[in-house]
Amino acid sequence: MIRKLTITILVDNKPGNPEVLAEHGLTLWIEADDRRILFDTGQSDMLIRNAEVLGIDLRTADTLVLSHGHYDHTGGVAAVLDLNPGISIYCHPGIFMSRYSQQPDGKMKPIGITKLASVALYQVVDSIHWTSGPTLISADIGITGPIPRLSNFEDTGGAFFLDPEATKQDPIDDDLAMWFKTLKGIVLVTGCCHSGLVNTINCTKALTDNTPIYAIVGGFHLLHASPERMEKTSDYLHLNGIEQIVPCHCTGENAVEHLNMRCGQKIIPGGSGVCFHV
């Protein structure tokens, strides 16, 4: 069991600390007993500056986990590898795929991993740990690998495609999450939850012998969720007794407001610089 877990939000869409900057993206700094884990890297090298301000030495990180191959989660990879070239990397092999998002006006926006990040990863490709399935980092720390899509009300959360002509939908199969087994229960860390938050929780419970989920930190991608999805998601969180919920990045303001109404004080606002302790 992990006795001490601290999660610091290095990068988020909004600042939670006046000392640090914000951008559309996500980076989490995780201290789990003697482990130092970087989860995602935002869309730029902003995490480097924010870490310095917060007194976090990224050179001490032993592990980098990339939740999926979108630019706003992988943009700082090159900067991290420049600073910490020996860091152990975990990601899905689909991370290099070209990705596009169809905007409201119909235009297609490239949202895949940047060339700079791809080149940096290819330089160390032989040492990457590929998470094509559930993967243990230690006895009490795991990566889900691809998450089964079993619910009938969740989707990827947007108009995502593998080609600029919008003929091939992107299921974002490389989407993954991390779990930490603590004395209080499982702490679940998510990047964007393109697999759906309920699917992600159910997958994690199956991988951890149905150990209760104590807390969830990360992006939930409920920005475009239907009223039905919001109701079923918030009901699920409430009924499963999850004690602390930290929505970040792509969750969406309306979704956070809905979760606040349903789950009350269990909702803890995210933001760059916010620190969460277990």
Side-chain angles (χ1 to χ4, degrees):
M1 292 284 186
I2 295 169
R3 296 184 175 277
K4 184 178 180 182
L5 180 69
T6 302
I7 300 176
T8 302
I9 304 172
L10 281 185
V11 176
D12 197 4
N13 291 28
K14 293 183 177 182
N17 179 328
E19 300 285 323
V20 299
L21 302 174
E23 68 180 5
H24 178 79
L26 183 69
T27 304
L28 303 177
W29 172 255
I30 305 167
E31 300 176 41
D33 288 340
D34 60 346
R35 300 299 298 263
R36 301 292 180 267
I37 300 169
L38 196 60
F39 183 83
D40 285 344
T41 65
Q43 68 164 290
S44 72
D45 61 359
M46 184 179 290
L47 78 163
I48 306 294
R49 186 266 183 195
N50 284 354
E52 290 175 352
V53 170
L54 295 171
I56 293 171
D57 186 356
L58 296 179
R59 293 171 297 182
T60 66
D62 52 75
T63 304
L64 169 64
V65 177
L66 300 173
S67 65
H68 62 297
H70 283 168
Y71 75 100
D72 49 336
H73 294 259
T74 59
V77 164
V80 170
L81 293 181
D82 281 344
L83 192 66
N84 188 341
I87 194 169
S88 184
I89 303 169
Y90 290 79
C91 62
H92 188 277
I95 198 168
F96 297 110
M97 297 175 68
S98 296
R99 262 72 184 260
Y100 300 87
S101 173
Q102 191 168 41
Q103 305 301 295
D105 61 3
K107 293 182 179 179
M108 301 297 288
K109 175 183 176 181
I111 59 170
I113 188 171
T114 65
K115 183 177 180 180
L116 183 63
S118 289
V119 169
L121 287 175
Y122 273 119
Q123 289 175 345
V124 295
V125 70
D126 290 338
S127 60
I128 292 176
H129 303 273
W130 300 111
T131 55
S132 299
T135 303
L136 286 176
I137 292 179
S138 74
D140 300 313
I141 303 173
I143 301 172
T144 60
I147 296 163
R149 316 294 173 92
L150 302 178
S151 66
N152 61 6
F153 59 90
E154 295 181 295
D155 54 32
T156 57
F160 298 112
F161 296 90
L162 295 171
D163 63 322
E165 294 76 32
T167 62
K168 300 176 183 177
Q169 286 195 332
D170 184 4
I172 318 182
D173 287 334
D174 57 326
D175 176 64
L176 54 83
M178 286 193 76
W179 55 263
F180 299 81
K181 188 174 289 187
T182 76
L183 296 173
K184 293 183 178 179
I186 298 296
V187 174
L188 177 60
V189 171
T190 66
C192 261
C193 255
H194 286 296
S195 305
L197 183 53
V198 173
N199 283 331
T200 301
I201 293 171
N202 284 334
C203 173
T204 302
K205 290 171 70 175
L207 293 172
T208 58
D209 298 322
N210 212 34
T211 303
I213 306 291
Y214 172 73
I216 308 173
V217 183
F220 303 158
H221 220 293
L222 295 168
L223 184 64
H224 305 297
S226 66
E228 178 196 17
R229 180 175 181 178
M230 274 308 315
E231 286 294 331
K232 289 185 175 181
T233 300
S234 57
D235 284 349
Y236 182 93
L237 294 174
H238 178 71
L239 293 173
N240 275 268
I242 298 169
E243 291 298 322
Q244 300 196 28
I245 303 165
V246 187
C248 306
H249 181 42
C250 54
T251 303
E253 291 184 6
N254 290 338
V256 172
E257 183 178 345
H258 184 99
L259 291 173
N260 267 315
M261 289 189 295
R262 187 70 176 91
C263 301
Q265 294 182 346
K266 294 181 178 181
I267 305 298
I268 302 170
S272 298
V274 170
C275 193
F276 170 77
H277 300 274
V278 177

